[in-house]
Amino acid sequence: MTGHRLEVADVFRAHQDQFLRRWGHALSDQQRKALRDIGLCRTAALGTHLERCDRCSYETIAYDSCRNRHCPKCQSSARDRWLLKQASSLLPVPYAHVVFTVPEQLAPLALRNQRLFYSLLFRAASETLQEVAADPRHLGARIGVLAVLHTWSKNLRHHPHLHCLVPAGGLAFDNSRWVPTRRHGFFLPVRVLSRMFRGKLLSFLKHSYRRSELCFAGKISALSAPRSFYSLLANLRRTEWVVYSKPPFGGPEHVLKYLARYTHRVAISNGRLLSLDKGKVRFRWRDSRHNNRSSIMKLDAVEFVKIRHFGLLANRNRRQALTLCRLHLCATAADPSPLLTEQQTSALRRSCPQCKCGTLHVVARCSAAEPLSPSLALHCVTFDSS
């Protein structure tokens, strides 16, 4: 692969058949589609299109994208648009970065009940933040929460946890003023958050168990027995759960850029891959248990973001609530443009690389059966670029 940067798609193409022989029986239709789409993305197999600048004579031929939301190549523009939208909602106040972590004993249950478990995780964390903030002993205000689910660790192990970006303050319940935190650099007491979060999630799981909503197939089948399940919950209730909360390093924009890398990407980006050799993939990762030390991991190639808003940032009242917050803070809407590089901004605008002023438009397409060339462009379906 000399002269070519290793991509996730390369691993998929080289080892897809071997992977399907070993794990194909356990894959969902969505997972099979993602495997196929990522392997074919921006290759002749998906067809080609002709792009033309609306200002000059520049034209270029490009392969079509798969547009799968799990594809690391397709989601960069979606990621940048999301980043701009979220950054425009930032308020000129300190922010807290709060992380809710699920004990490893619950990870297998989460893996077997992903839709239900992650919904309960969002609910437990959001209710915890809003209820503790509403308590006059802590803040006594309504807050807003941007929550992003991560289901893997940096070494690609299953590790469900929730990242929350929260303004360190909120609206008074009568909407009369902005209520700041009482101490600089402090948001809400971590131990209170941890214990309430623990109680809520375990209570939700117990309720789901009683309604027979949980699946206990495979290695966790023994947990289907009431004694085993309730014993697990009792043991977890006696342990301290990890909740992390501190002002975000580099400001809220830094955390948004960090979260954006996960909201529109698969577990590993192309940039972290180092090599594919003899069925082994080498990639970089940072070990959070050892001061984020950079390390290299090797895995068999075959084994190789969900987002929600709560409180003031909930979609039903987001615009009105932010307007009221800015009124009390005597602030205007934030300018998100500095968050993107010139290259990212140009890609979003589809700027012409030749004249730098025009915009590229798709003017013709061809199927995979008939690769596109300038001479064939007239025979393809043509679009009005005006």
Side-chain angles (χ1 to χ4, degrees):
M1 296 183 183
T2 304
H4 169 74
R5 189 184 75 170
L6 182 63
E7 298 180 347
V8 173
D10 296 319
V11 181
F12 281 15
R13 285 192 289 267
H15 296 277
Q16 176 174 296
D17 293 341
Q18 185 184 358
F19 176 83
L20 290 174
R21 283 196 298 269
R22 185 183 300 185
W23 301 109
H25 66 281
L27 294 183
S28 66
D29 291 341
Q30 183 184 34
Q31 290 168 327
R32 285 180 178 273
K33 185 177 187 304
L35 182 68
R36 181 180 65 252
D37 288 350
I38 293 172
L40 297 178
C41 186
R42 299 186 191 179
T43 68
L46 295 185
T48 52
H49 60 271
L50 177 69
E51 296 180 351
R52 180 182 299 147
C53 176
D54 58 8
R55 290 285 188 91
C56 68
S57 59
Y58 178 81
E59 290 185 345
T60 184
I61 296 172
Y63 290 128
D64 289 346
S65 301
C66 70
R67 297 176 181 262
N68 192 298
R69 70 183 184 89
H70 300 285
C71 177
K73 286 189 290 191
C74 282
Q75 295 303 307
S76 58
S77 294
R79 174 203 63 205
D80 293 341
R81 284 191 291 270
W82 180 86
L83 180 58
L84 289 176
K85 181 179 179 181
Q86 302 307 318
S88 66
S89 299
L90 292 177
L91 298 170
V93 298
Y95 274 72
H97 180 197
V98 187
V99 182
F100 292 90
T101 303
V102 174
E104 61 181 358
Q105 296 93 323
L106 284 178
L109 185 66
L111 198 57
R112 282 290 179 182
N113 301 269
Q114 295 185 48
R115 182 180 296 275
L116 173 62
F117 189 95
Y118 297 147
S119 178
L120 297 180
L121 175 58
F122 272 113
R123 181 183 170 192
S126 63
E127 288 186 6
T128 294
L129 284 168
Q130 292 181 88
E131 289 180 22
V132 174
D135 190 330
R137 293 174 296 176
H138 302 303
L139 183 64
R142 294 188 295 126
I143 62 170
V145 182
L146 165 63
V148 176
L149 173 68
H150 290 186
T151 56
W152 59 85
S153 62
K154 292 178 181 178
N155 61 358
L156 302 189
R157 305 300 183 190
H158 183 236
H159 175 59
H161 57 289
L162 208 61
H163 288 265
C164 301
L165 187 60
V166 193
L171 275 179
F173 288 102
D174 62 359
N175 293 332
S176 62
R177 63 190 179 94
W178 175 262
V179 182
T181 54
R182 296 169 186 174
R183 287 164 46 192
H184 177 70
F186 178 82
F187 178 45
L188 297 171
V190 170
R191 178 162 291 186
V192 175
L193 292 173
S194 173
R195 293 182 176 178
M196 182 178 288
F197 171 64
R198 177 186 64 188
K200 283 184 174 293
L201 186 55
L202 292 179
S203 176
F204 294 157
L205 289 172
K206 181 185 292 186
H207 181 70
S208 295
Y209 178 80
R210 289 174 174 171
R211 298 183 61 178
S212 300
E213 295 174 341
L214 294 171
C215 171
F216 296 98
K219 295 180 180 180
I220 63 170
S221 57
L223 285 178
S224 61
R227 177 175 295 183
S228 298
F229 184 77
Y230 290 128
S231 175
L232 171 66
L233 297 191
N235 290 335
L236 291 173
R237 195 175 295 276
R238 289 191 291 267
T239 63
E240 292 292 341
W241 290 25
V242 178
V243 173
Y244 162 99
S245 177
K246 65 181 297 185
F249 176 77
E253 297 88 352
H254 177 85
V255 178
L256 275 178
K257 293 182 74 171
Y258 167 76
L259 296 179
R261 295 202 300 267
Y262 291 87
T263 55
H264 297 85
R265 288 288 179 92
V266 288
I268 187 169
S269 62
N270 290 330
R272 289 174 57 194
L273 299 182
L274 297 176
S275 67
L276 171 62
D277 184 46
K278 298 179 180 178
K280 301 287 185 180
V281 178
R282 292 171 62 252
F283 63 92
R284 287 189 300 268
W285 70 288
R286 292 192 176 275
D287 188 351
S288 58
R289 296 185 179 182
H290 295 88
N291 298 318
N292 278 330
R293 183 179 62 195
S294 181
S295 303
I296 295 176
M297 181 172 288
K298 182 186 291 186
L299 290 178
D300 282 339
V302 177
E303 296 181 357
F304 178 74
V305 155
K306 294 161 183 152
I307 313 164
R308 295 190 189 177
H309 299 82
F310 301 95
L312 300 178
L313 297 180
N315 291 331
R316 66 181 179 275
N317 61 354
R318 178 191 185 101
R319 180 177 300 177
Q320 295 86 344
L322 287 174
T323 299
L324 188 56
C325 289
R326 293 191 180 105
L327 178 64
H328 290 310
L329 292 166
C330 300
T332 57
D335 177 16
S337 56
L339 283 177
L340 300 184
T341 65
E342 183 178 342
Q343 183 178 4
Q344 288 173 308
T345 302
S346 177
L348 279 182
R349 293 175 178 170
R350 304 290 297 143
S351 299
C352 173
Q354 180 169 281
C355 70
K356 312 295 184 184
C357 299
T359 301
L360 295 178
H361 296 274
V362 176
V363 295
R365 289 189 184 277
C366 268
S367 66
E370 188 179 22
L372 188 63
S373 66
S375 60
L376 283 174
L378 294 176
H379 302 288
C380 300
V381 179
T382 305
F383 304 92
D384 183 3
S385 60
S386 59

